[in-house]
Amino acid sequence: MFDTTHAHITTWAIALILFFVALGLHNSGKEKARKIVHMTLRLFYLLIILTGALLFWKHQGINPALYGIKGLAGIWLIAMFEMILVRTSKGEKAGAFWVQFIIALLALLYLGLRLPLGFNPFA
């Protein structure tokens, strides 16, 4: 049986790893490898959005407003992945995008762990 929640978490975890691998490859000057990892990361963006949409439609009766906000924050984080990688590859500053990346990531972690489908140690 296909478990959407685990698929979504797995795609996010792999995307985070690929993001930092792409940054590391750029810093070490391996542009061809960075491009390959970046294109693979873009595939994971699509998988993240697909599994997130499936989760939203599957559980939309629980709390659609907060899950909608979490979805928008997820798209915001994906946009920051892309903006940081593109700006870095062009040699431009990406400091403001890093700040947004951290804010979006913290918001997603908070909402992901607080909402009913997330981790709740007191339930």
Side-chain angles (χ1 to χ4, degrees), residues 11-53:
T11 55
W12 266 113
I14 293 171
L16 277 169
I17 292 167
L18 288 173
F19 173 71
F20 287 109
V21 167
L23 283 174
L25 288 169
H26 172 74
N27 292 337
S28 64
K30 298 178 180 176
E31 284 304 305
K32 185 172 182 174
R34 183 203 56 83
K35 284 183 182 181
I36 293 170
V37 172
H38 193 172
M39 290 305 291
T40 305
L41 180 58
R42 288 176 175 159
L43 172 65
F44 274 85
Y45 297 160
L46 296 175
L47 294 172
I48 289 166
I49 292 169
L50 175 67
T51 56

Side-chain angles (χ1 to χ4, degrees), residues 3-15:
D3 183 18
T4 314
T5 305
H6 288 123
H8 190 63
I9 293 168
T10 302
T11 55
W12 266 113
I14 293 171

